[in-house]
Amino acid sequence: MIDAEAFIAQHGTPIVASEVEHSAAMGVPSQPNAHDGTGGVNAEEQDKSGSRVHTRGWKRHGKREAARSSWAGGRGAKAMARSKECPCDSSDEDACREAALRLLDCADRSSGALLERLVLKGYDETVADAVVSRLREVGLVNDEEYARSVVRYCAGRMLGERGTLLELSRKHVDRALAQQVVGEARDAGVFVDAAWELGRSVAARTAGLDLQVRRRRFWAAGGRKGHSPDILREVFYSLFDNEA
């Protein structure tokens, strides 16, 4: 029967730490390791393994640094854009006028909305008000025409009288002017037509559903759009009760 030492010498089976300690205690010399013949891992292979781990670590570190730099660069670009918008001199009327014209190039605005944007950009309110007043004088800002365009937009969205007033207020149209143009639209039957259009739309979407469900959805839609309850009641009885 072959002893353990001869078997290990013949097959080159690596010896675990506990076996090495046991052999040392018994006076048996440790056997050469298959890697380097000295009982340990080859130094060159250790260097290669360590180098690979080190390289992977640096690659991950580099990616994190690149991502962090990209994020910081994005923030820097935004900050630079904001700094360009901020005026060097808040009382510079020429710069304020240029800023106002750029805003009007993007979209029509009421004088109130334009004034607010200029003040938010950092211009002095007195300077911004003078610029807006001058733009009204030359016809580049026309609150009345703008208010009527908002009413037409609201009618296209099937908004009622109350909903249209809220939209005009949100766009900083003067309250007296808003009530004037809404009154003209009411007299022209704009909001009644919008309520009927809304009723037909809800009726088509809810066809085949229970009457109570259709009633609830129609009244909810009418309330969100800001229609008068009297008009909604007339539309509902005409469109939904007849179908029932």
Side-chain angles (χ1 to χ4, degrees):
M1 181 175 181
I2 189 169
D3 58 20
E5 183 180 354
F7 178 84
I8 292 172
Q10 179 180 351
H11 294 282
T13 304
I15 303 175
V16 297
S18 60
E19 292 176 340
V20 172
E21 293 174 358
H22 178 70
S23 299
M26 297 297 294
V28 179
S30 60
Q31 296 298 317
N33 189 277
H35 289 285
D36 57 3
T38 63
V41 178
N42 187 289
E44 183 179 352
E45 293 186 3
Q46 285 182 337
D47 290 343
K48 289 181 179 179
S49 176
S51 176
R52 286 195 295 269
V53 173
H54 187 66
T55 302
R56 286 197 296 269
W58 273 107
K59 284 182 178 178
R60 289 194 294 269
H61 180 72
K63 288 180 180 178
R64 287 195 297 269
E65 289 299 322
R68 191 178 295 113
S69 299
S70 175
W71 177 77
R75 291 187 65 189
K78 291 179 181 178
M80 185 178 295
R82 285 195 297 269
S83 66
K84 288 182 178 179
E85 289 184 359
C86 296
C88 297
D89 183 3
S90 61
S91 60
D92 187 343
E93 188 169 333
D94 290 336
C96 184
R97 180 167 51 253
E98 289 299 322
L101 291 173
R102 286 195 298 271
L103 288 170
L104 291 174
D105 281 341
C106 296
D108 289 336
R109 304 171 193 271
S110 66
S111 59
L114 183 59
L115 176 62
E116 182 186 50
R117 286 298 302 273
L118 291 172
V119 172
L120 287 175
K121 281 180 172 292
Y123 293 101
D124 184 78
E125 186 171 358
T126 303
V127 174
D129 186 57
V131 168
V132 173
S133 297
R134 179 57 181 163
L135 292 175
R136 278 201 305 264
E137 291 174 6
V138 298
L140 292 178
V141 175
N142 190 319
D143 285 344
E144 190 169 337
E145 288 184 3
Y146 178 75
R148 290 195 171 92
S149 71
V150 173
V151 171
R152 290 192 295 271
Y153 166 77
C154 292
R157 292 177 55 202
M158 297 178 286
L159 266 64
E161 181 175 340
R162 179 169 52 85
T164 303
L165 281 170
L166 288 174
E167 184 69 12
L168 287 164
S169 175
R170 190 178 69 82
K171 293 182 179 294
H172 298 280
V173 174
D174 179 73
R175 183 173 180 80
L177 177 58
Q179 290 176 340
Q180 175 189 329
V181 294
V182 165
E184 293 172 358
R186 184 199 317 116
D187 295 341
V190 170
F191 303 122
V192 174
D193 292 343
W196 279 95
E197 184 65 26
L198 177 65
R200 285 188 287 268
S201 175
V202 174
R205 291 198 310 268
T206 60
L209 298 180
D210 182 76
L211 179 60
Q212 292 301 322
V213 174
R214 304 181 78 195
R215 182 199 304 272
R216 184 170 62 251
R217 293 188 182 180
F218 170 72
W219 279 93
R224 288 193 303 271
K225 298 287 187 180
H227 283 284
S228 164
D230 292 336
I231 298 176
L232 292 176
R233 192 174 296 110
E234 177 184 351
V235 173
F236 178 80
Y237 288 148
S238 297
L239 292 178
F240 295 86
D241 274 1
N242 287 342
E243 291 183 8

